[in-house]
Amino acid sequence: MTDDTPLDPDLASRFGALDDLDPPDTWPRVAPSGRRSIMVPAAAALLALVGGAWIWMAAANDDGAVDVLDVPGEEVDVDVPVTPDPPTTPGIVGPTCSTIEDPPLVLDGPRSADPEIAEQQDRRASYGFASDEATVEALLAADPPVVPAELEAVYQDLTEGLGLVLTADEVQDMYERQEGPIREQSSAAILAFADAHPDTYAGRWIDQRGGGLFTLAVSGDREAQWAELEPQLPEGHRVVMVPAAHSLVELAALQAEVDAVLADFGFLGSTRVNAVIGLVEVGVADATGVDVAAMEAALADLPACLDGDVQSVAAPSPDPAVPSPFVGVRTHASYIATDEMGTLHVATTQDEADALWTQAEVDGPTPSVDEGARVVLRFTTPHGACPDIFAGLRLVDGAHEIEMTAAGYQGCDAVLIPLTYIVSVDRGPQLPLAAGDVTIRLPERDPFYDAAEVTVTLDAATAPGTPADPTVPDEMDVEPRAVLVAPTPGTAVAELLDDGTPVFVVAHHDGAVTVVDTRVPVAVDRGQFNEGLDAVRRLTSWWGGAGRFLGGGGVWDSYGRALDNGAHADLVRHIAIVDGDQVVVGGPSSQKVTGDPIIDGPAFGPNADPLLPSLVSVADALATPIGTVSQVDAVIVASSDDAARLCDADVSGPIGDHETCTADDPVIDDLVQPSPDGRVWTTWLHGPILVRRTNTGFAEAVAMGGRSSSAR
Amino acid sequence: MMGRMGAANVEATYRREHQRLWRALVAFAGDPDVASDAESEAFTQLIARGDAVHDQRAWVWRSAFRIASGLLATRGATTTMGSADLDLIDTPPIVELLSMLDVLTDQQRACVTLRYVGRFTGPEIADLLGTTPGTVRVQLHHAHDRLRQTMESP
């Protein structure tokens, strides 16, 4: 950190108290219907509805700006959008919110050729100030205005926050728009009016382009309502009343109607009232598996617009030469480079992949080339302090170029850190399936290195699109580990095997059943925050709407096959034999599910989080039979000069207090990786921790808490 | 528009940022409900934007704080903290911390919270709050002064 205010130790200690707060789960829930559950109390829901317009309008800005939220109170500054005719493009519901555009900005005269002046013209026009070139040029050349002391903070916000160049009178004007006494009195009158007219009140906002007009929307008899409101407004007010097709109450009722209509579609998203455009907006985050055309038809007679990813799942890739990023790629390891920057190694056989992995001196399972259906790469490239992400291969000038996505956060571009990645790419999505030579290229990065290319010869691989063949039954060659009730086809349920292992049981639409371990496979991420604890896992959750598992940054299909870059390997699939309405579950299956992972598959039933064994103490977990999975109220304490140990959860507080975790505490066998460069470190990972009992202690740790500390 | 893999990326961001972000929002808003609503809303909007957001972490922190500001402005006039809220934060050190922070202005509280809980640098805080690093330094300085006075007072 540079140029930074140092932390006050006493204050830092006080803030440490917050570590005792257990955050609730605030992840936007997808209800069985696919809609986000209401997460605010009823009292707040109404307030959120009133305020919802401005929050939503903030969301509607393409540039991500949410500066309207800085406006005190509930009014916002918006440009009233224009609602177009419903589009006729197949697969898109009309109107989509994105087609509801702001009216064009009107300047007082032509836009200047000088970009600085032109930009200021636009800014001033968007707040209703004079925007002709001569005025703006003069303002830019003038000294800053002298403003009263009480307006200095306002002036600072306007200039530094909004980038406006203003006269002293205009600063006063903006103050009155945002927080002056006239505004407050106007707001009070409008609020009282809204309370008295819930059946016609339709929202309020500030029309900044119009000069800061406090705009009140009403349905019904506008003249009569204005006659009632106007006497209550202060002298010099800027309130205008505009007509609305629906009151907020009506829109809320329509929202409920839209929710009901969409209940069966299972998309990821939510509905929201937008008072400014008088519509119910349906925010669609993911429509995978959703019959968009049917959704269109269902909403045809309702004042609703769709926003987000409303593309049909059947939409073809526009260019098969350009694979979808993150599909069919896995990152098996990333660590501070051991290779020179700009080096590239390619493995097409398992022996080559083994060698590539061994040379890197990383632990964990060797990436599989999957009988020639996958290619493993190791390459080294520099980045800033925020590691880039491997996105896939892109065909450029006849070569398949490695494509990275930059994290790009402020401060991440200054420090150059060489990182070695070991990744695998599926043929089909990323490389040709036909036999032949392919060239893989690590593009040049000026001035650090020139492009590196490796040409390899590939044999023909299995054609894509081969359907998964779950009809080949597993054979139970070991003692069953559980007998579970078979879910209804098209649903998935969380279960525990007899030894406590958390699994998901997926009943596919065709009646086949898949049982997968809920634990996310491990990826080596050496040198990151939890140094040495590379093998700590996370759990997946089941996303029914898309028929996928999510967890630890990865995505898997309903058979547990890795779908994206964050999924370092397939989920462990268990032998599962359907016997009437029961599923007999065995150990890990060696049978491969053939075919490509299902990227766009049918929707399933409700989402589910994994089941977990009851929380027990370390001593109780130690008393279980070998092989038992327990959820332990414990902390993992690891250091470079000792094994990782599972210690009672009362081990807390600052680094250095881990004396209560002693050499007598049980070891987690497979957790600590040695520091490659001999660094000395200590790491804590707070629980609960899911572990499996071994003959020497525990293994297969899964962090259920997440708070961690580290020191070197 | 969000790619279909985008939700997973957001989920990863959520896993990484959730605890710190929620605690920072509690410190900023003094209200667990506001913190939860603001965080949930920010992630809902992030999901909707998906791949269009280049830096999800910065975006969600910035948005959550601004949404919390908006919720506070709205709720402050009409609601009081419910008993459920108090149950969540009834640990004396936390009550004391929130009480201390209450003496700060909104911007000071935002700066100090982002610095101490979010562990952001001054320039990063400036970026998140849409202000300048110099302003952040000044706000942190004033916040430190006021908080020290509060801590030293009997």
Side-chain angles (χ1 to χ4, degrees), chain A residues 358-378:
Chain A
T358 303
Q359 289 160 7
E361 297 181 345
V362 288
D363 297 296
T366 305
S368 170
V369 298
D370 198 9
E371 299 175 359
R374 205 176 286 163
V375 171
V376 179
L377 314 176
R378 188 177 84 215

PDB file of all heavy atoms in Angstrom, chain A residues 358-378:
ATOM      1  N   THR A 358       4.592 -32.781 -13.109  1.00  0.00           N
ATOM      2  CA  THR A 358       5.696 -33.105 -12.204  1.00  0.00           C
ATOM      3  C   THR A 358       6.788 -32.042 -12.269  1.00  0.00           C
ATOM      4  O   THR A 358       7.345 -31.634 -11.252  1.00  0.00           O
ATOM      5  CB  THR A 358       6.289 -34.477 -12.568  1.00  0.00           C
ATOM      6  OG1 THR A 358       5.245 -35.447 -12.525  1.00  0.00           O
ATOM      7  CG2 THR A 358       7.389 -34.875 -11.609  1.00  0.00           C
ATOM      8  N   GLN A 359       7.095 -31.597 -13.478  1.00  0.00           N
ATOM      9  CA  GLN A 359       8.129 -30.565 -13.629  1.00  0.00           C
ATOM     10  C   GLN A 359       7.773 -29.296 -12.858  1.00  0.00           C
ATOM     11  O   GLN A 359       8.633 -28.579 -12.380  1.00  0.00           O
ATOM     12  CB  GLN A 359       8.295 -30.220 -15.115  1.00  0.00           C
ATOM     13  CG  GLN A 359       8.958 -31.309 -15.941  1.00  0.00           C
ATOM     14  CD  GLN A 359       8.657 -31.134 -17.422  1.00  0.00           C
ATOM     15  OE1 GLN A 359       8.062 -30.144 -17.838  1.00  0.00           O
ATOM     16  NE2 GLN A 359       9.080 -32.118 -18.210  1.00  0.00           N
ATOM     17  N   ALA A 360       6.487 -29.041 -12.745  1.00  0.00           N
ATOM     18  CA  ALA A 360       6.053 -27.825 -12.057  1.00  0.00           C
ATOM     19  C   ALA A 360       6.144 -27.963 -10.540  1.00  0.00           C
ATOM     20  O   ALA A 360       5.991 -26.978  -9.818  1.00  0.00           O
ATOM     21  CB  ALA A 360       4.620 -27.482 -12.461  1.00  0.00           C
ATOM     22  N   GLU A 361       6.347 -29.176 -10.063  1.00  0.00           N
ATOM     23  CA  GLU A 361       6.489 -29.448  -8.632  1.00  0.00           C
ATOM     24  C   GLU A 361       5.267 -28.965  -7.847  1.00  0.00           C
ATOM     25  O   GLU A 361       5.389 -28.345  -6.797  1.00  0.00           O
ATOM     26  CB  GLU A 361       7.768 -28.814  -8.086  1.00  0.00           C
ATOM     27  CG  GLU A 361       9.036 -29.383  -8.718  1.00  0.00           C
ATOM     28  CD  GLU A 361      10.297 -28.761  -8.139  1.00  0.00           C
ATOM     29  OE1 GLU A 361      10.184 -27.721  -7.474  1.00  0.00           O
ATOM     30  OE2 GLU A 361      11.372 -29.324  -8.357  1.00  0.00           O
ATOM     31  N   VAL A 362       4.129 -29.223  -8.398  1.00  0.00           N
ATOM     32  CA  VAL A 362       2.903 -28.909  -7.673  1.00  0.00           C
ATOM     33  C   VAL A 362       2.257 -30.214  -7.232  1.00  0.00           C
ATOM     34  O   VAL A 362       2.469 -31.264  -7.835  1.00  0.00           O
ATOM     35  CB  VAL A 362       1.911 -28.088  -8.528  1.00  0.00           C
ATOM     36  CG1 VAL A 362       2.407 -26.682  -8.709  1.00  0.00           C
ATOM     37  CG2 VAL A 362       1.671 -28.756  -9.861  1.00  0.00           C
ATOM     38  N   ASP A 363       1.511 -30.107  -6.168  1.00  0.00           N
ATOM     39  CA  ASP A 363       0.828 -31.289  -5.643  1.00  0.00           C
ATOM     40  C   ASP A 363      -0.588 -31.366  -6.196  1.00  0.00           C
ATOM     41  O   ASP A 363      -1.060 -30.465  -6.864  1.00  0.00           O
ATOM     42  CB  ASP A 363       0.803 -31.231  -4.117  1.00  0.00           C
ATOM     43  CG  ASP A 363       2.208 -31.280  -3.559  1.00  0.00           C
ATOM     44  OD1 ASP A 363       2.878 -32.309  -3.751  1.00  0.00           O
ATOM     45  OD2 ASP A 363       2.640 -30.273  -2.965  1.00  0.00           O
ATOM     46  N   GLY A 364      -1.246 -32.434  -5.860  1.00  0.00           N
ATOM     47  CA  GLY A 364      -2.621 -32.608  -6.307  1.00  0.00           C
ATOM     48  C   GLY A 364      -2.701 -33.543  -7.488  1.00  0.00           C
ATOM     49  O   GLY A 364      -1.678 -33.971  -8.038  1.00  0.00           O
ATOM     50  N   PRO A 365      -3.925 -33.876  -7.890  1.00  0.00           N
ATOM     51  CA  PRO A 365      -4.094 -34.823  -8.990  1.00  0.00           C
ATOM     52  C   PRO A 365      -3.624 -34.256 -10.318  1.00  0.00           C
ATOM     53  O   PRO A 365      -3.859 -33.093 -10.624  1.00  0.00           O
ATOM     54  CB  PRO A 365      -5.614 -35.073  -9.008  1.00  0.00           C
ATOM     55  CG  PRO A 365      -6.208 -33.873  -8.346  1.00  0.00           C
ATOM     56  CD  PRO A 365      -5.207 -33.407  -7.340  1.00  0.00           C
ATOM     57  N   THR A 366      -2.972 -35.085 -11.091  1.00  0.00           N
ATOM     58  CA  THR A 366      -2.499 -34.665 -12.414  1.00  0.00           C
ATOM     59  C   THR A 366      -3.686 -34.391 -13.332  1.00  0.00           C
ATOM     60  O   THR A 366      -4.643 -35.178 -13.353  1.00  0.00           O
ATOM     61  CB  THR A 366      -1.637 -35.780 -13.036  1.00  0.00           C
ATOM     62  OG1 THR A 366      -0.600 -36.100 -12.123  1.00  0.00           O
ATOM     63  CG2 THR A 366      -1.046 -35.330 -14.355  1.00  0.00           C
ATOM     64  N   PRO A 367      -3.652 -33.321 -14.087  1.00  0.00           N
ATOM     65  CA  PRO A 367      -4.740 -33.092 -15.055  1.00  0.00           C
ATOM     66  C   PRO A 367      -4.828 -34.224 -16.053  1.00  0.00           C
ATOM     67  O   PRO A 367      -3.808 -34.765 -16.481  1.00  0.00           O
ATOM     68  CB  PRO A 367      -4.334 -31.778 -15.734  1.00  0.00           C
ATOM     69  CG  PRO A 367      -3.345 -31.150 -14.827  1.00  0.00           C
ATOM     70  CD  PRO A 367      -2.652 -32.256 -14.104  1.00  0.00           C
ATOM     71  N   SER A 368      -6.041 -34.565 -16.420  1.00  0.00           N
ATOM     72  CA  SER A 368      -6.243 -35.669 -17.346  1.00  0.00           C
ATOM     73  C   SER A 368      -6.419 -35.150 -18.769  1.00  0.00           C
ATOM     74  O   SER A 368      -7.061 -34.123 -18.992  1.00  0.00           O
ATOM     75  CB  SER A 368      -7.501 -36.451 -16.939  1.00  0.00           C
ATOM     76  OG  SER A 368      -7.853 -37.375 -17.955  1.00  0.00           O
ATOM     77  N   VAL A 369      -5.834 -35.881 -19.723  1.00  0.00           N
ATOM     78  CA  VAL A 369      -6.080 -35.548 -21.126  1.00  0.00           C
ATOM     79  C   VAL A 369      -7.328 -36.272 -21.631  1.00  0.00           C
ATOM     80  O   VAL A 369      -7.725 -36.102 -22.782  1.00  0.00           O
ATOM     81  CB  VAL A 369      -4.877 -35.888 -22.032  1.00  0.00           C
ATOM     82  CG1 VAL A 369      -3.666 -35.073 -21.627  1.00  0.00           C
ATOM     83  CG2 VAL A 369      -4.591 -37.380 -22.002  1.00  0.00           C
ATOM     84  N   ASP A 370      -7.927 -37.068 -20.777  1.00  0.00           N
ATOM     85  CA  ASP A 370      -9.218 -37.687 -21.051  1.00  0.00           C
ATOM     86  C   ASP A 370      -9.212 -38.433 -22.383  1.00  0.00           C
ATOM     87  O   ASP A 370     -10.039 -38.183 -23.265  1.00  0.00           O
ATOM     88  CB  ASP A 370     -10.321 -36.615 -21.042  1.00  0.00           C
ATOM     89  CG  ASP A 370     -11.695 -37.237 -20.882  1.00  0.00           C
ATOM     90  OD1 ASP A 370     -11.763 -38.450 -20.607  1.00  0.00           O
ATOM     91  OD2 ASP A 370     -12.693 -36.517 -21.042  1.00  0.00           O
ATOM     92  N   GLU A 371      -8.246 -39.317 -22.510  1.00  0.00           N
ATOM     93  CA  GLU A 371      -8.156 -40.170 -23.699  1.00  0.00           C
ATOM     94  C   GLU A 371      -8.108 -39.345 -24.984  1.00  0.00           C
ATOM     95  O   GLU A 371      -8.742 -39.685 -25.984  1.00  0.00           O
ATOM     96  CB  GLU A 371      -9.332 -41.150 -23.730  1.00  0.00           C
ATOM     97  CG  GLU A 371      -9.360 -42.078 -22.512  1.00  0.00           C
ATOM     98  CD  GLU A 371     -10.590 -42.950 -22.485  1.00  0.00           C
ATOM     99  OE1 GLU A 371     -11.410 -42.817 -23.401  1.00  0.00           O
ATOM    100  OE2 GLU A 371     -10.712 -43.753 -21.551  1.00  0.00           O
ATOM    101  N   GLY A 372      -7.371 -38.267 -24.940  1.00  0.00           N
ATOM    102  CA  GLY A 372      -7.179 -37.451 -26.137  1.00  0.00           C
ATOM    103  C   GLY A 372      -8.246 -36.418 -26.386  1.00  0.00           C
ATOM    104  O   GLY A 372      -8.175 -35.661 -27.356  1.00  0.00           O
ATOM    105  N   ALA A 373      -9.245 -36.364 -25.525  1.00  0.00           N
ATOM    106  CA  ALA A 373     -10.317 -35.384 -25.720  1.00  0.00           C
ATOM    107  C   ALA A 373      -9.975 -34.041 -25.083  1.00  0.00           C
ATOM    108  O   ALA A 373     -10.745 -33.092 -25.164  1.00  0.00           O
ATOM    109  CB  ALA A 373     -11.623 -35.911 -25.118  1.00  0.00           C
ATOM    110  N   ARG A 374      -8.820 -33.964 -24.466  1.00  0.00           N
ATOM    111  CA  ARG A 374      -8.450 -32.753 -23.739  1.00  0.00           C
ATOM    112  C   ARG A 374      -6.955 -32.515 -23.925  1.00  0.00           C
ATOM    113  O   ARG A 374      -6.186 -33.478 -24.061  1.00  0.00           O
ATOM    114  CB  ARG A 374      -8.774 -32.944 -22.261  1.00  0.00           C
ATOM    115  CG  ARG A 374      -9.024 -31.707 -21.469  1.00  0.00           C
ATOM    116  CD  ARG A 374      -9.427 -32.058 -20.052  1.00  0.00           C
ATOM    117  NE  ARG A 374     -10.796 -32.564 -19.957  1.00  0.00           N
ATOM    118  CZ  ARG A 374     -11.273 -33.235 -18.908  1.00  0.00           C
ATOM    119  NH1 ARG A 374     -10.501 -33.481 -17.881  1.00  0.00           N
ATOM    120  NH2 ARG A 374     -12.515 -33.650 -18.892  1.00  0.00           N
ATOM    121  N   VAL A 375      -6.531 -31.273 -23.915  1.00  0.00           N
ATOM    122  CA  VAL A 375      -5.120 -30.917 -24.036  1.00  0.00           C
ATOM    123  C   VAL A 375      -4.746 -30.107 -22.798  1.00  0.00           C
ATOM    124  O   VAL A 375      -5.529 -29.254 -22.353  1.00  0.00           O
ATOM    125  CB  VAL A 375      -4.873 -30.095 -25.321  1.00  0.00           C
ATOM    126  CG1 VAL A 375      -3.460 -29.540 -25.347  1.00  0.00           C
ATOM    127  CG2 VAL A 375      -5.144 -30.963 -26.550  1.00  0.00           C
ATOM    128  N   VAL A 376      -3.583 -30.383 -22.264  1.00  0.00           N
ATOM    129  CA  VAL A 376      -3.125 -29.696 -21.048  1.00  0.00           C
ATOM    130  C   VAL A 376      -2.025 -28.701 -21.426  1.00  0.00           C
ATOM    131  O   VAL A 376      -1.127 -29.031 -22.216  1.00  0.00           O
ATOM    132  CB  VAL A 376      -2.597 -30.707 -20.009  1.00  0.00           C
ATOM    133  CG1 VAL A 376      -2.099 -29.983 -18.756  1.00  0.00           C
ATOM    134  CG2 VAL A 376      -3.705 -31.708 -19.638  1.00  0.00           C
ATOM    135  N   LEU A 377      -2.109 -27.506 -20.874  1.00  0.00           N
ATOM    136  CA  LEU A 377      -1.142 -26.449 -21.164  1.00  0.00           C
ATOM    137  C   LEU A 377      -0.489 -25.967 -19.878  1.00  0.00           C
ATOM    138  O   LEU A 377      -1.137 -25.933 -18.819  1.00  0.00           O
ATOM    139  CB  LEU A 377      -1.822 -25.241 -21.834  1.00  0.00           C
ATOM    140  CG  LEU A 377      -2.792 -25.483 -22.978  1.00  0.00           C
ATOM    141  CD1 LEU A 377      -3.422 -24.158 -23.409  1.00  0.00           C
ATOM    142  CD2 LEU A 377      -2.063 -26.127 -24.149  1.00  0.00           C
ATOM    143  N   ARG A 378       0.760 -25.581 -19.983  1.00  0.00           N
ATOM    144  CA  ARG A 378       1.402 -24.851 -18.890  1.00  0.00           C
ATOM    145  C   ARG A 378       2.059 -23.620 -19.509  1.00  0.00           C
ATOM    146  O   ARG A 378       2.841 -23.759 -20.463  1.00  0.00           O
ATOM    147  CB  ARG A 378       2.454 -25.704 -18.186  1.00  0.00           C
ATOM    148  CG  ARG A 378       2.994 -25.019 -16.916  1.00  0.00           C
ATOM    149  CD  ARG A 378       3.987 -25.902 -16.187  1.00  0.00           C
ATOM    150  NE  ARG A 378       5.325 -25.799 -16.728  1.00  0.00           N
ATOM    151  CZ  ARG A 378       6.194 -26.825 -16.798  1.00  0.00           C
ATOM    152  NH1 ARG A 378       5.843 -28.022 -16.389  1.00  0.00           N
ATOM    153  NH2 ARG A 378       7.401 -26.642 -17.284  1.00  0.00           N
TER     154      ARG A 378
END
